[in-house]
Amino acid sequence: MTTESRPGLRERKKQRTRDAISDAAITLFVERGFNEVSVAQIAEAAEVSKRTLFAYFPTKEDLVVHRMADHETESARVVRARPAHTAPLDALRDHFLDGLRRRDPITGLNDMPQIRELTQLIFRTPALIDRMQRFRAGGERALTEALCDTTDAPELVARMASVQIIAVQWALSMENFERLISGETADARYPDAARSAERAFALLANGLATVG
Amino acid sequence: MTTESRPGLRERKKQRTRDAISDAAITLFVERGFNEVSVAQIAEAAEVSKRTLFAYFPTKEDLVVHRMADHETESARVVRARPAHTAPLDALRDHFLDGLRRRDPITGLNDMPQIRELTQLIFRTPALIDRMQRFRAGGERALTEALCDTTDAPELVARMASVQIIAVQWALSMENFERLISGETADARYPDAARSAERAFALLANGLATVG
DNA sequence: TAGATAAGTACACCAAGTGCAGAACTATTC
DNA sequence: GAATAGTTCTGCACTTGGTGTACTTATCTA
């Protein structure tokens, strides 16, 4: 009756429940603000018990930020998957620029209403910003390892390079977020965003001494 | 009876109360761990009501991290106060190296028992790490402004330089913290710490392209 | 269809943090 | 130096995030 590749009913139900909870949460948060909605209200809206909600998401913050979890190790993956004879930094720059072109939400350059609302929610809520920073730390660790494994740079250099790169990517994304929040469209912002990214990566490559 | 410069009894009492609460908190936290001590117990140990405790410190985390608040704008101050014809990055490097020599706790290179214990407490407690990151964001903003005000670098460059610098300083301090936590003494660590810092700042100045 | 196993629920509980009304204290003024 | 105005502190009730537990209900397997 069920094909061999399809997960069982149990797994499908779990996924549906998980989505129901997350959707209810984000809808309510966007509507009324993170602190103005209680987890009890979310559980009620998703038609599950509070206890079940916490079985799927360990904290209230995770109801929102779990959607970003995939991106945690993105930079590390890009470095590992880069073509031979390509410098890590070049691969990362190209990937970021491609993200801008594709309007990847992670670059801050996506102005679709749902994504914009989610972004604003996060940036208006200190507790959520804090939580995002934890992903950043994880991303730094993963990138450091990727650099160590795929280049012959000493560990200190890998660590420093990695924190610099993540910091710059983060700052570029933040800048784009802010512009979009203040009303600019993604298409209008794109040319400057791309130029900024190119300059920022050039700065990473060539060093701060070049600007006095 | 009181000299004109001395604050009134009320102010002095406030300061004493504040110190009593903070001291009680840190003593208990170090003894038993952040999550194993409730604010009610801290209030009791400091002989104030829970309500008074929250009048002085807005959250449980602030009981610990308020001691770091002064350092938030340290980098910005260093840049603003640097001698004429000195590059910001040089001033910051010299300041960091001087911090290492002085065993400034902020560099992670102080192994006095009290400071070591406090450091370990923070790094063992995710909630406290999160809170520390908020200082970092403030430090980045302040440094960006300082760079804009005292150099003719465009704002994008100032922003990127600032997040890179703060990221590197943070990573260097973390490295020192970890070494000391794993048993090394500050004096034993010092030579490597200084060399690492010099290399890291050189990397900032010369760029990542220099290392493939 | 029986029974093992996993998911979900109800309920009681703890801790962080807030609002409020009044008590205790400090500063000021006559 | 007593009245009083202004702060700080307290006690208490309350909300909310999060956990432990014993129990029910649903899915899977044989």
Side-chain angles (χ1 to χ4, degrees):
Chain A
M1 199 207 259
T2 64
T3 70
E4 77 279 335
S5 70
R6 185 146 146 240
L9 173 58
R10 192 172 269 171
E11 284 309 310
R12 275 177 287 148
K13 269 202 165 178
K14 267 179 79 170
Q15 193 52 50
R16 277 214 315 263
T17 306
R18 192 183 163 82
D19 291 346
I21 296 171
S22 173
D23 291 349
I26 288 177
T27 304
L28 288 174
F29 287 152
V30 165
E31 227 171 82
R32 287 188 249 156
F34 186 77
N35 295 309
E36 280 64 48
V37 180
S38 72
V39 291
Q41 292 172 318
I42 294 164
E44 197 185 5
E47 297 182 293
V48 294
S49 71
K50 202 179 83 172
R51 208 67 188 72
T52 297
L53 186 152
F54 280 114
Y56 282 93
F57 300 95
T59 69
K60 189 182 180 185
E61 287 77 25
D62 283 298
L63 288 164
V64 180
V65 302
H66 76 101
R67 303 214 166 174
M68 317 285 179
D70 306 335
H71 297 290
E72 188 174 357
T73 57
E74 189 170 321
S75 292
R77 286 199 304 271
V78 168
V79 165
R80 287 186 191 278
R82 75 187 191 278
H85 306 109
T86 304
L89 192 57
D90 291 337
L92 288 167
R93 181 200 55 214
D94 293 346
H95 180 77
F96 193 89
L97 287 169
D98 189 53
L100 290 175
R101 270 191 297 274
R102 288 183 292 105
R103 306 289 190 268
D104 188 332
I106 202 77
T107 63
L109 205 62
N110 190 306
D111 58 5
M112 289 169 60
Q114 290 213 353
I115 290 170
R116 249 186 63 124
E117 281 162 359
L118 188 60
T119 306
Q120 284 187 38
L121 171 65
I122 293 172
F123 280 80
R124 263 198 253 106
T125 312
L128 292 176
I129 297 178
D130 288 356
R131 197 60 158 227
M132 293 289 291
Q133 297 292 336
R134 220 182 283 186
F135 286 133
R136 175 173 170 166
E140 285 172 356
R141 261 191 304 276
L143 180 55
T144 301
E145 274 177 42
L147 289 173
C148 282
D149 290 352
T150 66
T151 72
D152 52 2
E155 214 210 306
L156 175 74
V157 173
R159 276 178 92 144
M160 296 302 143
S162 135
V163 299
Q164 285 183 52
I165 292 166
I166 301 280
V168 162
Q169 287 180 350
W170 202 270
L172 288 169
S173 299
M174 289 271 287
E175 174 93 26
N176 291 331
F177 281 141
E178 280 162 20
R179 302 281 181 152
L180 263 56
I181 283 175
S182 69
E184 230 168 300
T185 67
D187 290 348
R189 169 71 188 152
Y190 173 74
D192 276 357
R195 267 191 25 226
S196 289
E198 266 162 15
R199 285 185 189 170
F201 274 92
L203 199 62
L204 270 173
N206 302 325
L208 305 180
T210 59
V211 291
Chain B
M1 197 209 260
T2 64
T3 71
E4 78 277 335
S5 69
R6 182 142 147 244
L9 172 58
R10 192 171 268 172
E11 285 308 311
R12 275 177 287 147
K13 269 203 167 180
K14 268 178 80 168
Q15 193 53 50
R16 277 215 313 263
T17 305
R18 194 183 161 81
D19 291 346
I21 295 171
S22 173
D23 291 349
I26 289 177
T27 303
L28 288 174
F29 286 153
V30 164
E31 227 171 82
R32 286 189 248 156
F34 186 77
N35 295 308
E36 280 64 47
V37 180
S38 73
V39 291
Q41 292 172 318
I42 295 164
E44 197 186 4
E47 297 181 294
V48 295
S49 71
K50 202 179 81 170
R51 207 66 190 73
T52 298
L53 185 151
F54 281 114
Y56 282 92
F57 300 95
T59 69
K60 190 181 178 184
E61 286 77 26
D62 282 298
L63 288 165
V64 179
V65 303
H66 76 101
R67 304 215 165 171
M68 317 286 179
D70 307 333
H71 297 290
E72 189 172 358
T73 57
E74 188 171 321
S75 292
R77 287 199 304 271
V78 168
V79 164
R80 288 186 192 280
R82 75 188 191 276
H85 306 108
T86 303
L89 192 57
D90 291 336
L92 288 166
R93 183 201 53 214
D94 293 347
H95 180 76
F96 193 87
L97 287 170
D98 190 52
L100 290 176
R101 270 190 296 276
R102 289 183 292 103
R103 306 288 191 268
D104 188 331
I106 202 78
T107 63
L109 205 62
N110 190 306
D111 57 5
M112 290 169 61
Q114 292 214 351
I115 290 169
R116 248 186 66 124
E117 281 162 359
L118 188 60
T119 306
Q120 284 188 35
L121 171 66
I122 292 172
F123 280 80
R124 263 199 252 106
T125 312
L128 293 175
I129 297 178
D130 289 357
R131 197 58 157 232
M132 292 290 289
Q133 296 292 336
R134 221 182 281 186
F135 286 131
R136 175 174 171 165
E140 285 172 357
R141 262 192 304 277
L143 179 55
T144 301
E145 273 176 43
L147 289 172
C148 282
D149 289 353
T150 66
T151 71
D152 52 2
E155 213 210 310
L156 175 75
V157 173
R159 276 178 91 144
M160 297 301 143
S162 136
V163 299
Q164 285 182 52
I165 292 165
I166 301 280
V168 162
Q169 287 180 351
W170 203 270
L172 288 170
S173 299
M174 289 271 286
E175 174 92 25
N176 292 331
F177 281 141
E178 281 162 21
R179 302 281 182 152
L180 263 55
I181 283 175
S182 68
E184 232 168 302
T185 67
D187 290 348
R189 168 73 188 151
Y190 173 73
D192 277 356
R195 269 190 24 226
S196 289
E198 266 162 15
R199 285 184 190 171
F201 274 93
L203 199 63
L204 271 173
N206 302 326
L208 304 180
T210 58
V211 290

